[in-house]
Amino acid sequence: MVELLQETTTKGHQYEEETCLGQETQAMDIRLNSELFTLTYGALVTQLCKDYENDEEVNKQLDKMGYNIGVRLIEDFLARSSIGRCQDFRETADVISKVAFKMYLGITPSVTNWSPAGDELSLILESNPLVDFVELPDNHSSLVYSNLLCGVLRGALEMVQMAVDVKFAQDTLRGDNVTEIRMKFIKRIEENLPAGDE
Amino acid sequence: MADDVLFEFLHMEMVSHIYKDQASRGEMEKDRATCVSTLEGMGFRVGQGLIERFTKDSPSFKDDLDVMKFICKDFWINVFRKQIDNLRTNHQGTYVLQDNKFALLTQFSNGKQYLEEAPKYLAYSCGLVRGALSNLGMDCVVTAEVSLMPSCKFQVVIQKI
């Protein structure tokens, strides 16, 4: 039976620090909740690994599930942030990293490595809350653990008329220094008005 | 940090995926039970992990009732953002936890609509409770019942060795 190793030892010192500062209940609530999400995600990936024989299939499923979440999450995001329409892809990238990621995962990835045509960029995540207690065993070297994120971005952007291709270029779980998500703008999706509406 | 809405979305998608997946693999009846136990199993693992993190620095509990009160208050607040509304027991190992506005059911309906679908969305939470109690030294069976959404009752029956 294959299992992803989950250690529950990290962030111990941070937990105590928050308590000392006297902001316990609020910080504890938020922290515990993000652990619920992180641990649930871990259980999900473990289950997918059991259900599907190879990593590629698991990656695909994670992307699909992420897509389904993304098409709904965008509405939640727009409702909470009241951000207006973005003028171009650069602005979109800024909103994604400074507002969306901050709102849902508490991190602000940096936006770099723009392609000369301005249609491809990298999001560099110094830390990734999804992988908090995770280690990949050797026999899952091609598993893209956080692939759900790619699907979420793809689904969310599709709902605002942008077709993008999203994938992980670097992953701390697989030994890289940072986690890098590469996002490429493919095209603008034209809104289709129902026949008879003019 | 990670918004609780993220968990709700993930949970919804998980349930949907498990059921879709089983449906595409064949026989109907057997699969419904498998889906529930898969979700419950996932909840169990997560419940164990969560309770470990949460009670790291707390003193040990006096007795079973103390543990159940902890689950109803602190544990429920941290996982579902509110307390259990009503705890009943027969003092012989059975506890009924009633949540009148269960966080994972509020988006469903305010009454009897979609009642048949509700159990799918409770399996994971039953597992959470069972996992938490298991790591606190209490082996039990947790079931949930819904008669009027979004209120639901979790029944915990402690297994005597």
Side-chain angles (χ1 to χ4, degrees):
Chain A
M1 185 162 88
V2 197
E3 285 220 350
L4 292 175
L5 206 68
Q6 291 197 335
E7 303 163 45
T8 50
T9 50
T10 53
K11 303 220 170 181
H13 66 287
Q14 268 187 37
Y15 180 88
E16 273 137 39
E17 213 177 281
E18 303 271 65
T19 323
C20 293
L21 291 174
Q23 299 154 357
E24 319 99 62
T25 26
Q26 197 54 35
M28 205 155 71
D29 282 347
I30 295 172
R31 178 175 308 279
L32 254 304
N33 235 275
S34 75
E35 285 177 6
L36 172 64
F37 177 73
T38 305
L39 291 174
T40 304
Y41 186 70
L44 171 69
V45 180
T46 310
Q47 185 63 40
L48 289 177
C49 287
K50 272 194 218 140
D51 290 339
Y52 296 97
E53 296 90 42
N54 62 63
D55 293 345
E56 273 319 304
E57 197 47 49
V58 177
N59 294 342
K60 232 177 28 174
Q61 288 302 321
L62 283 174
D63 184 77
K64 214 160 53 147
M65 292 177 72
Y67 177 84
N68 291 338
I69 292 179
V71 305
R72 296 178 172 89
L73 196 71
I74 183 73
E75 285 186 28
D76 183 84
F77 172 72
L78 291 174
R80 282 172 202 257
S81 65
S82 1
I83 295 238
R85 195 172 273 285
C86 292
Q87 294 305 319
D88 57 20
F89 198 46
R90 274 183 191 268
E91 204 181 324
T92 308
D94 266 344
V95 169
I96 291 176
S97 65
K98 298 199 178 75
V99 190
F101 263 92
K102 178 100 187 136
M103 186 185 287
Y104 291 113
L105 293 174
I107 54 174
T108 315
S110 45
V111 182
T112 57
N113 278 358
W114 280 98
S115 64
D119 63 348
E120 207 172 328
L121 64 105
S122 289
L123 291 166
I124 310 277
L125 287 70
E126 298 292 321
S127 70
N128 180 357
L130 290 181
V131 308
D132 266 349
F133 311 115
V134 180
E135 249 185 46
L136 280 189
D138 294 326
N139 55 340
H140 281 291
S141 49
S142 52
L143 178 68
V144 184
Y145 184 84
S146 312
N147 215 28
L148 194 95
L149 287 181
C150 296
V152 172
L153 286 167
R154 189 167 61 89
L157 288 173
E158 188 174 304
M159 289 297 111
V160 287
Q161 275 76 53
M162 274 182 264
V164 292
D165 184 51
V166 191
K167 54 171 160 289
F168 275 86
Q170 289 190 76
D171 194 352
T172 46
L173 278 187
R174 294 202 269 170
D176 301 311
N177 290 336
V178 289
T179 300
E180 180 187 345
I181 298 180
R182 193 96 188 124
M183 209 157 70
K184 182 177 164 76
F185 178 81
I186 303 188
K187 63 173 185 180
R188 181 149 237 107
I189 305 173
E190 291 309 321
E191 280 199 50
N192 294 317
L193 293 172
D197 255 32
E198 222 26 75
Chain B
M1 289 287 169
D3 245 9
D4 47 351
V5 76
L6 269 190
F7 170 69
E8 279 170 38
F9 276 115
L10 182 64
H11 177 256
M12 269 198 306
E13 188 52 36
M14 252 164 44
V15 175
S16 155
H17 174 265
I18 301 268
Y19 275 82
K20 237 187 323 198
D21 195 54
Q22 296 287 45
S24 68
R25 285 179 193 226
E27 325 121 40
M28 268 311 293
E29 264 327 305
K30 164 182 172 234
D31 292 324
R32 212 164 289 152
T34 328
C35 295
V36 168
S37 58
T38 309
L39 285 166
E40 215 260 354
M42 288 168 72
F44 183 77
R45 287 178 60 128
V46 176
Q48 286 185 311
L50 275 182
I51 203 77
E52 254 179 45
R53 306 277 300 161
F54 196 35
T55 57
K56 229 169 32 151
D57 303 314
S58 337
S60 49
F61 297 100
K62 288 192 297 214
D63 58 14
D64 289 355
L65 187 57
D66 219 25
V67 173
M68 292 313 297
K69 285 195 193 151
F70 176 81
I71 297 281
C72 293
K73 295 218 309 252
D74 302 292
F75 184 78
W76 221 257
I77 287 183
N78 271 281
V79 178
F80 300 115
R81 303 250 151 174
K82 66 183 282 291
Q83 286 187 36
I84 281 281
D85 298 299
N86 195 335
L87 171 67
R88 274 190 288 239
T89 174
N90 65 356
H91 293 290
Q92 281 166 12
T94 302
Y95 297 86
V96 178
L97 289 69
Q98 182 168 345
D99 190 333
N100 291 331
K101 213 172 157 219
F102 188 55
L104 298 177
L105 290 180
T106 48
Q107 308 295 329
F108 261 70
S109 80
N110 250 339
K112 299 213 177 254
Q113 197 184 19
Y114 299 125
L115 203 56
E116 333 73 63
E117 310 290 334
K120 295 185 196 173
Y121 293 86
L122 296 171
Y124 183 80
S125 310
C126 288
L128 273 182
V129 177
R130 189 168 69 90
L133 289 173
S134 150
N135 260 14
L136 289 175
M138 285 162 67
D139 258 324
C140 56
V141 173
V142 183
T143 49
E145 69 174 77
V146 191
S147 47
L148 195 72
M149 297 214 248
S151 152
C152 75
K153 294 200 186 106
F154 290 88
Q155 187 181 51
V156 178
V157 179
I158 309 210
Q159 311 290 294
K160 296 289 178 216
I161 312 147

